[in-house]
Amino acid sequence: MIRADLVIVDAAQLLTLRGPAPRLRADLRDLALIEGGCLAAHSGRIVFAGRRDEFEAEVVLEDGADVLDAMGRVVMPGFVDAHTHLPFAGSREAEFARRMSGMTYQQIAAEGGGISATVRATRAASDEELLDTILQRLDRMLLEGVTTCEAKSGYGLTLDDELRLLRLALEAGQRHPIDVVTTLLGAHTVPPEYAGRRDDYVRLVIEEMIPRAAAGKLAAFCDVFCEAGVFSADEARRILKAGRAAGLRPRLHADQLTPGGGAELAAEVEAASADHLDHASDEGLSLMARAGVAAILLPGASFCMRQAHWAPARRMVDAGVAIAVATDLNPGTCNTESMSLMVALACLSMNLAVEEAVAACTLNAAVTIGRSGTIGSLEPGKQADVIVLDAPSYLHLAYRPGINLVHAVVKDGRVAARERRITYPEPA
Ligand code: NIG
Ligand code: FE
């Protein structure tokens, strides 16, 4: 018999996503769905996910076990948001309004706005203020069904401030149910005090930020904003190779606003992911497929930037690239925690099937952050990170855009949110 301290019974659809990771090509549509399925967990781990009759035959509830009746709802893995700029202070709604009336992102950046504006606000914020904002953001993410996220630094841009952002993101992850995986993005932009000395800044990233972040175990990954006017492919290559040598796996903001050989570079350095890719070349995509580099699609950024060009998601799937979908949560180009909105945009504007978008937000996203052994699907042995949707079918994620359908969130086998209310820490 299998002992359980938490069970979820009678799902209309239990999306287990059992099977190969990452999901590629036609397999990306395979959610390994069980109608009327049940799930059981013990000590934070999944011990059963399967049919009702097997559940009844095999699972016994411990005294005091938590029983959630899904009552005909969807039960699926918690969302894994594999690309966020979680730690930042301030907001940029005035800049947003200027963009709405026709100014470009690059024009605003050239005037000292954009990333630099958030850098000023973030440097000025105390640790307490930053930690507080990060925790509030994590609460909103949890209510949206996110159970693990990646978090980039990138709004400090001094050695101390970059390390501080990584430390605070990790501390927030310790205090909050959501698991946080950190990425050093010291190369987000050249800060104003290095104007005219960009090579000195690249050296600061390579010689000081990377070694300190690695030695302090403050980051698992290293990222660069590779874009015309920001960091060139050559600079990105130097930084990512230094990161890799220090034990930080490369990721890359690639081909977002203009084509710049980002996909090719990501393949060359065998990055864990290349992200954005709105302007990626076909050649770059096939190199990525061959090198096993995942593409992280950020449809919210294309949407909020009103891009004419969206990442060629269908071509990626056809080329055999592993795709994930994430929010890009940041104060400039996509200020939202909503993963279900990303599913809707990925379907409606990138032509993914809903099944593909769901796999891209869970199992494939977990692969890109090196966690598919423990999260991303509902299989015995994995963390019990599970969400219940207030809908009879996962199709509602795209069919009802902008609506938070998340009814309950189970994190590490404990109910962390229910009926749109945070329930951790449990009342004594
Ligand atoms: O992913 N592209 C670079 N970084 C962010 C935007 C940062 C900002 O505008 O503050 C992004 O879109
Ligand atoms: Fe980003």
Side-chain angles (χ1 to χ4, degrees):
M1 294 301 267
I2 301 170
R3 300 172 67 80
D5 59 17
L6 174 135
V7 296
I8 307 178
V9 296
D10 288 333
Q13 301 177 331
L14 176 69
L15 314 184
T16 70
L17 283 105
R18 177 179 304 160
R23 292 284 212 273
L24 300 175
R25 295 194 162 93
D27 288 345
L28 188 59
R29 290 169 194 252
D30 177 14
L31 299 179
L33 181 157
I34 299 171
E35 280 176 15
C38 299
L39 179 130
H42 194 275
S43 306
R45 305 250 159 209
I46 296 168
V47 290
F48 176 92
R51 294 204 321 261
R52 170 101 213 180
D53 55 332
E54 291 168 350
F55 173 83
E56 277 167 5
E58 294 172 30
V59 177
V60 284
L61 269 65
E62 286 188 343
D63 282 352
D66 231 328
V67 180
L68 276 75
D69 188 345
M71 295 203 300
R73 298 182 171 100
V74 173
V75 175
M76 61 176 278
F79 288 122
V80 177
D81 192 345
H83 182 139
T84 84
H85 300 254
L86 178 69
F88 67 85
S91 72
R92 295 184 356 227
E93 67 278 0
E95 168 187 312
F96 174 80
R98 290 167 81 200
R99 278 202 289 111
M100 290 307 96
S101 47
M103 259 186 106
T104 68
Y105 185 78
Q106 290 96 327
Q107 283 167 337
I108 289 168
E111 286 183 359
I115 295 172
S116 298
T118 300
V119 169
R120 286 191 290 278
T122 304
R123 286 178 181 173
S126 68
D127 286 4
E128 292 68 32
E129 286 164 340
L130 269 167
L131 192 58
D132 197 51
T133 357
I134 295 169
L135 288 167
Q136 287 180 36
R137 235 163 250 144
L138 288 173
D139 273 353
R140 285 194 294 275
M141 292 166 75
L142 186 70
L143 291 170
E144 293 284 340
V146 173
T147 47
T148 299
C149 77
E150 184 260 12
K152 302 175 198 297
S153 64
Y155 294 111
L157 309 189
T158 65
L159 173 64
D160 287 349
D161 280 300
E162 284 297 297
L163 299 179
R164 178 168 85 114
L165 294 182
L166 294 172
R167 216 176 282 122
L168 290 171
L170 288 172
E171 185 178 339
Q174 292 295 319
R175 293 198 192 186
H176 196 277
I178 293 182
D179 291 328
V180 176
V181 177
T182 46
T183 297
L184 171 67
L185 179 55
H188 201 184
T189 194
V190 177
E193 63 274 18
Y194 279 84
R197 301 187 291 135
R198 54 181 307 114
D199 216 47
D200 290 349
Y201 188 70
V202 172
R203 258 201 303 280
L204 173 71
V205 174
I206 292 176
E207 291 172 13
E208 298 189 48
M209 289 183 190
I210 287 173
R212 289 283 300 278
K217 297 205 179 334
L218 296 175
F221 299 95
C222 178
D223 196 342
V224 178
F225 185 14
C226 180
E227 181 65 50
V230 191
F231 291 96
S232 69
D234 284 339
E235 290 165 336
R237 180 183 292 105
R238 283 166 55 203
I239 293 167
L240 295 179
K241 286 194 167 161
R244 167 173 297 275
L248 307 183
R249 280 190 75 191
R251 323 185 74 89
L252 191 64
H253 281 71
D255 306 317
Q256 178 185 5
L257 305 170
T258 53
E264 289 84 344
L265 175 60
E268 179 192 325
V269 299
E270 295 177 345
S273 71
D275 307 30
H276 288 288
L277 299 168
D278 303 51
H279 297 272
S281 71
D282 285 348
E283 168 68 5
L285 295 182
S286 42
L287 289 169
M288 279 175 58
R290 216 171 309 148
V293 175
I296 300 188
L297 302 168
L298 304 167
S302 313
F303 177 56
C304 296
M305 298 284 281
R306 302 196 288 189
Q307 300 273 83
H309 241 288
W310 288 51
R314 283 255 60 85
R315 236 183 297 148
M316 292 176 183
V317 175
D318 294 345
V321 175
I323 62 156
V325 169
T327 60
D328 198 16
L329 167 63
N330 77 78
T333 64
C334 189
N335 199 349
T336 177
E337 289 86 1
S338 173
M339 282 297 278
S340 31
L341 180 60
M342 299 308 123
V343 172
L345 289 172
C347 297
L348 296 165
S349 296
M350 288 180 161
N351 292 317
L352 291 185
V354 187
E355 296 78 12
E356 294 175 315
V358 168
C361 282
T362 52
L363 187 61
N364 278 17
V367 172
T368 72
I369 56 168
R371 294 280 177 107
S372 56
T374 48
I375 59 170
S377 62
L378 303 180
E379 297 179 78
K382 285 198 175 181
Q383 284 175 209
D385 293 358
V386 191
I387 58 178
V388 182
L389 302 182
D390 209 352
S393 160
Y394 62 82
L395 292 173
H396 283 231
L397 285 169
Y399 169 55
R400 295 164 68 192
I403 300 299
N404 182 2
L405 297 170
V406 176
H407 171 77
V409 182
V410 171
K411 178 72 187 89
D412 293 315
R414 317 241 324 246
V415 179
R418 195 179 230 159
E419 290 177 31
R420 289 163 191 85
R421 290 237 163 77
I422 303 278
T423 54
Y424 83 92
E426 283 180 352

